[in-house]
Amino acid sequence: MSGAVDLSSLKQPPAGGSAPAGGYAVGEADFETKVLRRSMQVPVVVVLYSQRSPGSVELVRTLERLVQADGGTWELATVEAEANMRIAQALRVQGIPTVIAIAGGQPLADFEGAQPEPQVRQWLTAVVDAVAGKLEGAEGAAEQPVEDPRFVAAEEALDRGDMAGAEAAYEAVLAAEPNNEDAKAALRQLRFLARAQQVPESALATADADPANVDAALDAADLELLGQRPEAAFDRLIATVKRTAGEDRTKVRTRLLELFDLFDKAEPFVVAARRKLATALY
């Protein structure tokens, strides 16, 4: 998951809602450090939620109350699923919300769906009891690495909702280090999310009703990718490549390559989509 950036702060909550506070927000950029490495010393409870779901947000609130009451026996990491697709995929999440306890760098226990507080408390107690005395000072526990202040500045800009400031911060990194892959990946994801969040929900229906509309297909693919359906997005654009020629085909192919670059090249669905694209082109 390296080379990605937590863009969850850019996802705006629905009317009347707000992003959860407490615990600590985690994204693709810091999942290894804040969850996997930290879990060598203390169990980390990861909750993958959606701001679109009131029950999902309420579960986060419940966990926030409990982690504050438990005084450091476990830690809470919140992951906004729609902005961190690869975390959800890596953890094989099937539904939102999902709660996963990670200890020693490995998933220990999980549950799916909103649960009443007494059941959540019982589950947490079992998790803490299961790892008691087995993690602190465990061999292989790593010190938290010093964060690059330039990336910290970019992430702070994201926290404030300052997309332009975050983009400028990453561009400054690349101006000094043109080959900095983390900054390149962060910019790609930032620019994708900025574009995709402007696409109206109606774009999917428009594209389905008019398959020849190239711009609608591009917008619909953005929505599908934002909704954690990369295979659907890729298949839509590959089908559009097959139907088009000339400048339209080049336009769609260029967008596909941009979307591929949002993921690890070794991801099976990326490998499969690249093969389909090659077949469509040649």
Side-chain angles (χ1 to χ4, degrees):
M1 297 183 187
S2 62
V5 62
D6 178 11
L7 299 177
S8 59
S9 59
L10 301 183
K11 291 293 292 171
Q12 297 301 315
S18 60
Y24 46 84
V26 174
E28 294 169 2
D30 52 9
F31 187 83
E32 180 178 358
T33 298
K34 291 186 176 179
V35 175
L36 299 182
R37 292 186 185 178
R38 183 59 178 155
S39 76
M40 302 301 293
Q41 298 168 309
V42 63
V44 179
V45 172
V46 179
V47 54
L48 292 103
Y49 73 100
S50 171
Q51 294 172 352
R52 300 174 187 271
S53 164
S56 185
V57 174
E58 181 55 36
L59 178 60
V60 175
R61 303 293 188 203
T62 297
L63 289 165
E64 289 169 354
R65 290 193 297 271
L66 294 173
V67 73
Q68 291 170 6
D70 284 357
T73 57
W74 58 281
E75 294 184 1
L76 175 64
T78 61
V79 177
E80 208 288 305
E82 292 175 341
N84 295 283
M85 296 177 288
R86 287 193 288 177
I87 293 178
Q89 292 161 356
L91 294 176
R92 302 182 185 278
V93 170
Q94 299 297 315
I96 299 296
T98 289
V99 178
I100 303 172
I102 296 180
Q106 299 293 328
L108 176 66
D110 64 82
F111 67 84
E112 180 181 324
Q115 302 290 336
E117 187 165 327
Q119 288 184 232
V120 177
R121 163 56 71 197
Q122 184 177 16
W123 181 85
L124 288 168
T125 299
V127 167
V128 172
D129 289 347
V131 300
K134 299 177 182 178
L135 294 179
E136 275 192 302
E139 185 177 354
E143 292 291 329
Q144 296 280 345
V146 177
E147 294 186 86
D148 187 325
R150 299 171 302 175
F151 283 85
V152 171
E155 290 165 7
E156 288 175 348
L158 289 177
D159 290 340
R160 298 191 300 270
D162 181 5
M163 295 177 65
E167 184 171 354
Y170 290 126
E171 287 175 341
V173 174
L174 288 175
E177 300 175 32
N179 295 321
N180 189 306
E181 294 301 326
D182 286 348
K184 289 180 183 178
L187 269 177
R188 286 195 294 268
Q189 294 189 40
L190 179 62
R191 288 167 177 168
F192 163 74
L193 189 54
R195 182 183 73 228
Q197 288 188 135
Q198 301 305 311
V199 177
E201 294 290 341
S202 60
L204 285 169
T206 300
D208 290 341
D210 183 8
N213 188 328
V214 170
D215 289 333
L218 296 176
D219 285 346
D222 277 355
L223 282 182
E224 287 169 328
L225 194 58
L226 193 63
Q228 301 186 57
R229 294 189 290 153
E231 294 95 333
F234 295 162
D235 285 347
R236 179 184 295 276
L237 294 187
I238 290 168
T240 305
V241 166
K242 292 178 180 179
R243 288 192 294 267
T244 54
E247 291 184 3
D248 282 345
R249 173 176 277 202
T250 299
K251 185 177 183 179
V252 178
R253 174 182 174 276
T254 299
R255 176 64 61 82
L256 255 175
L257 295 178
E258 290 175 3
L259 298 185
F260 289 161
D261 282 342
L262 295 174
F263 299 90
D264 189 317
K265 293 180 180 179
E267 289 278 9
F269 58 83
V270 175
V271 174
R274 284 186 179 277
R275 289 174 180 165
K276 291 178 183 177
L277 175 59
T279 301
L281 290 170
Y282 305 109

